[in-house]
Amino acid sequence: MASSSTAAWLENIPIALPEGITREQLGTFRPFNDWVTTLKRSLGLQTSTSHPFHGDPYALRSITIQAFDRFGGGRLGFVKLTASVSNDAGETLPAAALLRGPSVGMLVILIPDDVPRDSDERYVVLTVQPRIPAGSLSFAELPAGMVDDAGSFKGAAAKEMEEELDITIHEDELVCLSELAAPADQDVDEGLAAAMYPSAGGCDEHITLYSYERRIPRAQLQEWSGRLTGLRSHGEKITLKVVPMKELWRQGGRDAKALSALALWEGLRRENKV
C-alpha cells in the first residue's frame, strides 16, 4: 500500500476505472503505488527555484485506467493507464504508461577451471525462449524475472537462476552491478531505483542487474549449452546458450539487459570494483 501521505494526496485525484477493478484493488497493486509515490515526489521538487518548471509547475490532474491483466490467483499483473499532467498554462506532458513493476537480470559468467586466474577467457549464459510480445519464438537474452510483491531483488535473482539455469546459489554471492555503478548523488531526490529503465517513455519497468561468477570444468560449458529448462507450469520453454563474453555485445545485441549489464560490468572492471 502507498504511504499515508501519498494515499491522502491521491484521494483528491480523480481516477476513472474500467469494469472489473475497484479503486481498493488498484491500491493493492505495488507498481501503481510505487509509480504514484515517485511521481508525487518528483512533482514536489518543482517548489525549488532551481527547478526548470518552478515558474509554472505541473500537477497530476487525473488518472484513467484503460486496461488490466490478472495473473494466477486473480492478482493484478499489468495495468495500462493514461494520466493528465499539466500546468496552469494548459501545457501537458506525455503520460501513457504500462505498469508492470520491477525485474531483475543476471549476468552469469562462467570461467573454465583450467585457465589462469588472470585470464580474460569468460563465457556468459543466455536464455533462448519465446517472447511473443516481440514476435519471436527464439529471443536470446540474459536470464531475467519479475520481482513479486513479497520478494527481494536479490531473492528474485537467485530464484530465477535456480529455475532457469538449474544452479543454486546464496544471495550473498550475487554482485549488484546497478548499485555499484550508480553515482551517490544521482536521482536521490526523485527516488528513482538504481536500475536500468529500458523504456522510460512508456513503461515503469526497471531492471536491477546482478552478476555472478563461477569456475566450472571446461566440459560443463558444452553440457550447459543447449539444455532445455524453465518452468513448464509458467509456460516457459527455455534453451540455454553459452557464448564467449567478448561476443556478448553481438550475441545479445537485441537485449537491453545484456548490453546494459555488459557495459556496467566493463565499466566497474576498469575501476576495479568487480
Side-chain angles (χ1 to χ4, degrees):
M1 298 290 289
S3 67
S4 57
S5 62
T6 299
W9 175 75
L10 194 60
E11 286 180 0
N12 299 316
I13 307 296
I15 301 179
L17 296 165
E19 185 178 350
I21 184 174
T22 66
R23 187 157 178 155
E24 290 72 25
Q25 290 172 337
L26 182 65
T28 66
F29 186 48
R30 179 177 173 180
F32 177 77
N33 290 324
D34 289 347
W35 172 75
V36 168
T37 298
T38 304
L39 180 59
K40 175 179 180 290
R41 184 182 295 116
S42 187
L43 291 171
L45 296 177
Q46 296 174 108
T47 58
S48 171
T49 56
S50 63
H51 196 285
F53 302 152
H54 174 74
D56 194 358
Y58 287 87
L60 175 63
R61 312 291 181 178
S62 65
I63 300 171
T64 299
I65 306 300
Q66 298 174 308
F68 61 92
D69 290 295
R70 293 188 184 275
F71 291 167
R75 67 185 180 90
L76 284 175
F78 298 154
V79 168
K80 172 66 170 61
L81 63 78
T82 58
S84 174
V85 180
S86 63
N87 59 16
D88 289 341
E91 299 169 327
T92 62
L93 298 176
L98 171 66
L99 303 186
R100 56 163 291 163
S103 302
V104 292
M106 287 73 69
L107 179 67
V108 179
I109 303 170
L110 305 177
I111 305 173
D113 61 5
D114 60 357
V115 301
R117 291 285 177 179
D118 59 352
S119 172
D120 63 356
E121 183 181 358
R122 290 177 171 82
Y123 298 85
V124 173
V125 180
L126 296 177
T127 59
V128 181
Q129 61 183 306
R131 289 300 194 191
I132 300 304
S136 173
L137 294 181
S138 55
F139 195 85
E141 60 186 305
L142 289 190
M146 296 182 66
V147 180
D148 60 31
D149 290 351
S152 69
F153 284 77
K154 273 194 173 184
K159 179 180 177 182
E160 287 299 322
M161 290 177 67
E162 182 173 357
E163 291 176 354
E164 297 188 1
L165 307 181
D166 195 25
I167 58 175
T168 302
I169 66 164
H170 194 277
E171 293 180 25
D172 291 343
E173 296 178 276
L174 293 170
V175 175
C176 186
L177 301 175
S178 296
E179 291 181 357
L180 286 177
D185 60 347
Q186 179 174 298
D187 299 327
V188 171
D189 290 334
E190 285 192 315
L192 294 175
M196 181 267 290
Y197 287 73
S199 187
C203 184
D204 72 318
E205 181 182 19
H206 52 274
I207 305 173
T208 303
L209 298 168
Y210 293 88
S211 69
Y212 170 72
E213 287 194 8
R214 173 178 285 195
R215 294 182 72 89
I216 64 172
R218 184 174 294 273
Q220 196 171 342
L221 291 174
Q222 293 298 324
E223 294 175 8
W224 277 32
S225 194
R227 178 193 294 174
L228 189 64
T229 183
L231 295 179
R232 295 298 182 270
S233 61
H234 291 185
E236 296 177 342
K237 294 188 176 180
I238 299 170
T239 302
L240 301 185
K241 183 178 183 180
V242 179
V243 303
M245 192 167 183
K246 63 183 180 182
E247 287 289 317
L248 180 58
W249 66 274
R250 193 193 309 272
Q251 298 283 347
R254 291 188 178 91
D255 179 36
K257 300 182 299 298
L259 296 179
S260 297
L262 180 62
L264 292 181
W265 187 88
E266 290 182 340
L268 291 167
R269 187 77 172 177
R270 286 193 295 271
E271 296 186 2
N272 296 316
K273 293 183 178 179
V274 294

